[in-house]
Amino acid sequence: LQGVESIEVLKGPASALYGRFEPGGVINFVSKRPSEAFGGEAFVVGGSYDYLRGGLDVTGSLNADGTLLGRLNVGYENADSHRDGIDNEQLFVSPVVEWRPDADTSLLGRVEYTQRDAAFDRGLGNSPLFLDQPISRNYGEDFMRIEKEQWIGSLEFNRRLSPDWRLRLGGFVSAVDVPEEQFFNYGFPALSGTTVNRSFVSFNETQDDLTVQAELYGQVRTGALKHRLLIGLDHSRDELAFRDGQIAFDQPIDLLDPVQTGRPDSYIATGNSFYDYTSTGLYVQDEIAWERWRLLLGARVEEVETYAFDEGFVNPGVTREDTPFSPRAGLTYLVTPDWSIYGSWAQSSRNEGDAGLLESGLTPKPTRGEQFEVGTKALFLDGRAEATLSAYEITKTDAVVGDPVDFNRVIQAGEIVVRGIEAEISARPLDPWTVVASYAYSDSEITEDTNSFVVGNRLAGVPDHQAALFTSWSFEGALEGLTVGGGVFHASSQAATTANAFDLPAYTRVDLNAAYGFGGSYELRLNVDNVTDETIFITGGFSQIYPQAPRTARLTLSRSW
């Protein structure tokens, strides 16, 4: 997060941006941009499990007339873990330059470099007996690690063509090199008595991504109607390569007394595999305003091509082509300037080829989504509070979920449906007091599938109930500079696997924090997470279970200028 300015969470059909991504929600990481005024921040963090992190962020004008701006972000992290034998070391460097030749034009260039060396944590197996073991227990081996080097480059050009029209051009490239990746897969079943079944896997990996995008924004009037228009074109290509693959089957370890066996003397070669994903999309959108009404209409048409080659499964390689069409519509009525009611509908398409392989060795075809939502939003307390209430239904066809038989593969469920309600209040009743409360109910179900034994099952990792309360208070007077806060998050039990063989227990996590600013530019911050030391499990990819950290503390000292 060293180079991230903010994190935006967009919920509902609007998140199916131009018909892409998921209909339920999308998380957007907004990168830091240079500023004209000279400034920066330096910080160091220390915490539980030998956690150490430091960073430097400097920005300002690079020339006298302020037309050339720069920013440099550097971050370093070195940490152990609550999990036995797991450590992580990362280095991040990101220079950013922005050229503003005039008030209507800007060109921003960004480079990011990340280097990582970490132990590979495969979590726990998908059996309830794993939940009775210490959360620190690791069934992997010391030699199982991942080394990663990643370069990212991007260019963004913005030009105001007129008071009502603007052009945006963007390009993004990424090159990832993983010279060695070693881990284990749980067997089938993951547990036989008290014997943990494992297979050791090793390969090297490269991933190259390219995305280019052109967008034209504008406003026009047709009589009493005001239109905000968007026309866009994008193209992306992702190339994945797994080389020198090898596997060693039948590497057992004891559940109750795991003693590492070390690297085996011999592996079975599994060869190379290559996957390419290419997408070209055209999208249009019109937001129409008339008195108290707002009508949003949009659509995306896309050509998607996927190529898969695997020496052991798919040889020769195969190519699949899809042309999804994704429309959307929404209607809002402003009852008052501070209260609106709305309804929306959207379809989406997402290529989830990176989620895993089907049992056939092929990549999944694009997942299709559809969402209906109705709700209301309101401001009250003279604008100090905002409330949202919504009800929704999301249907996904060909959704990618974990294979209930082969936990290292995925299946495409015929249809999954999630229905629910969400309520949220964000308020500042008093100047020093901020409070955010939310609740969500989700009823998830696999409604159609060729594997009849999973029909009717809940989705893995989706709790029926989630609730959160976060608050903070900034003191004045003699304690000016001190802010204290905290939050409570609760999740009900959730299915651990697609087969619904057992549930992960409900949990309630309490986090506390305090910050004190002093000396005009210094701040000392204390974060204590999971204060009550709750045992928490979540489910991850390939049906593994990941125990979350117990009580942890971090102390941060920062200086800004």
Side-chain angles (χ1 to χ4, degrees):
L1 299 178
Q2 179 66 26
V4 174
E5 180 71 35
S6 62
I7 301 175
E8 300 174 340
V9 180
L10 187 61
K11 298 186 291 185
S15 66
L17 197 59
Y18 320 136
R20 214 171 175 193
F21 308 119
E22 296 283 359
V26 67
I27 300 175
N28 182 34
F29 293 85
V30 182
S31 298
K32 294 178 179 178
R33 304 177 71 98
S35 62
E36 295 182 19
F38 176 73
E41 180 189 36
F43 68 89
V44 61
V45 187
S48 305
Y49 306 105
D50 296 326
Y51 182 87
L52 175 65
R53 180 182 171 194
L56 176 66
D57 179 9
V58 182
T59 185
S61 178
L62 299 180
N63 60 1
D65 59 6
T67 59
L68 190 63
L69 312 178
R71 190 160 192 162
L72 176 65
N73 259 285
V74 180
Y76 173 78
E77 181 179 273
N78 193 317
D80 288 338
S81 168
H82 65 285
R83 302 272 291 145
D84 293 339
I86 301 300
D87 65 292
N88 173 58
E89 184 177 23
Q90 295 188 84
L91 172 67
F92 174 85
V93 181
S94 176
V96 186
V97 177
E98 184 174 9
W99 179 45
R100 300 177 181 175
D102 55 57
D104 296 325
T105 310
S106 70
L107 177 65
L108 184 142
R110 181 188 310 275
V111 174
E112 293 183 3
Y113 171 76
T114 304
Q115 185 182 52
R116 182 177 184 226
D117 180 14
F120 207 120
D121 187 4
R122 210 58 165 156
L124 303 176
N126 52 5
S127 166
L129 294 180
F130 284 99
L131 304 183
D132 297 329
Q133 309 312 309
I135 63 171
S136 61
R137 184 162 292 168
N138 178 12
Y139 294 95
E141 303 281 333
D142 289 341
F143 69 87
M144 293 179 173
R145 302 190 64 82
I146 179 171
E147 297 179 11
K148 172 182 174 182
E149 188 175 64
Q150 175 171 315
W151 288 92
I152 290 176
S154 64
L155 281 174
E156 180 183 332
F157 175 78
N158 284 278
R159 173 69 179 177
R160 185 172 295 279
L161 306 175
S162 72
D164 292 328
W165 288 91
R166 181 164 62 92
L167 174 68
R168 176 184 175 274
L169 305 175
F172 171 92
V173 292
S174 171
V176 180
D177 181 27
V178 182
E180 191 169 24
E181 190 170 354
Q182 302 187 68
F183 56 91
F184 78 93
N185 290 331
Y186 286 99
F188 318 108
L191 199 62
S192 300
T194 61
T195 298
V196 179
N197 299 314
R198 305 178 301 172
S199 297
F200 293 174
V201 180
S202 176
F203 52 76
N204 64 69
E205 174 185 355
T206 59
Q207 179 175 347
D208 298 307
D209 302 333
L210 167 68
T211 299
V212 291
Q213 186 180 52
E215 293 182 336
L216 182 65
Y217 306 84
Q219 298 185 65
V220 297
R221 284 187 174 274
T222 55
L225 303 181
K226 181 179 179 181
H227 301 261
R228 293 176 58 187
L229 299 172
L230 165 65
I231 304 171
L233 179 69
D234 60 31
H235 174 80
S236 62
R237 180 171 183 178
D238 303 333
E239 299 178 345
L240 282 167
F242 301 93
R243 296 181 175 88
D244 302 325
Q246 54 183 0
I247 188 169
F249 295 103
D250 302 325
Q251 304 293 321
I253 195 171
D254 190 73
L255 174 72
L256 306 178
D257 184 24
V259 177
Q260 293 194 358
T261 59
R263 186 179 179 91
D265 295 331
S266 62
Y267 282 75
I268 299 173
T270 57
N272 303 323
S273 56
F274 305 95
Y275 306 93
D276 291 350
Y277 316 106
T278 303
S279 168
T280 302
L282 172 67
Y283 48 92
V284 294
Q285 183 172 285
D286 185 6
E287 183 180 343
I288 305 169
W290 176 68
E291 296 184 352
R292 295 188 177 187
W293 294 93
R294 303 291 184 270
L295 175 63
L296 180 67
L297 300 172
R300 174 186 178 89
V301 62
E302 186 175 13
E303 289 188 357
V304 179
E305 181 178 284
T306 301
Y307 170 79
F309 169 83
D310 188 302
E311 287 186 15
F313 289 96
V314 189
N315 190 359
V318 296
T319 299
R320 188 189 64 244
E321 296 181 354
D322 300 278
T323 55
F325 175 72
S326 305
R328 62 177 296 197
L331 183 64
T332 300
Y333 178 69
L334 302 175
V335 182
T336 71
D338 294 333
W339 177 30
S340 64
I341 56 177
Y342 68 91
S344 59
W345 165 78
Q347 292 184 340
S348 66
S349 173
R350 182 185 175 198
N351 192 340
E352 297 187 76
D354 57 349
L357 298 180
L358 303 171
E359 185 63 32
S360 63
L362 298 177
T363 58
K365 58 185 175 182
T367 295
R368 299 289 290 160
E370 183 175 41
Q371 177 170 352
F372 296 90
E373 180 174 334
V374 294
T376 181
K377 297 175 181 286
L379 293 173
F380 55 98
L381 295 181
D382 294 327
R384 288 180 172 268
E386 179 180 355
T388 303
L389 177 65
S390 62
Y392 66 89
E393 178 181 273
I394 301 173
T395 302
K396 292 179 67 175
T397 54
D398 296 316
V400 180
V401 298
D403 191 323
V405 178
D406 183 344
F407 308 121
N408 300 310
R409 302 289 181 181
V410 296
I411 62 173
Q412 290 204 269
E415 181 182 270
I416 62 175
V417 178
V418 182
R419 302 178 181 91
I421 59 172
E422 287 188 349
E424 182 175 317
I425 296 177
S426 176
R428 178 167 284 182
L430 302 172
D431 288 341
W433 183 26
T434 300
V435 60
V436 178
S438 63
Y439 168 77
Y441 168 74
S442 303
D443 178 20
S444 64
E445 183 182 10
I446 299 175
T447 51
E448 295 179 12
D449 196 79
T450 54
N451 296 308
S452 59
F453 70 95
V454 302
V455 174
N457 287 3
R458 293 183 296 161
L459 294 182
V462 181
D464 290 344
H465 304 276
Q466 296 182 81
L469 174 65
F470 296 91
T471 187
S472 66
W473 183 280
S474 299
F475 287 88
E476 300 174 342
L479 296 177
E480 186 174 359
L482 176 64
T483 300
V484 297
V488 180
F489 178 82
H490 173 79
S492 62
S493 62
Q494 53 194 281
T497 65
T498 303
N500 286 191
F502 65 102
D503 286 351
L504 300 181
Y507 65 88
T508 301
R509 192 188 73 233
V510 179
D511 300 336
L512 298 176
N513 61 76
Y516 179 63
F518 61 97
S521 59
Y522 291 90
E523 182 184 77
L524 191 65
R525 176 178 293 274
L526 175 66
N527 292 80
V528 182
D529 297 335
N530 195 4
V531 174
T532 59
D533 209 21
E534 182 92 350
T535 299
I536 300 172
F537 298 98
I538 64 172
T539 184
F542 303 102
S543 299
Q544 263 105 34
I545 298 167
Y546 291 92
Q548 301 301 285
R551 183 188 303 113
T552 57
R554 299 185 307 280
L555 187 65
T556 304
L557 175 63
S558 63
R559 187 197 173 200
S560 58
W561 59 86

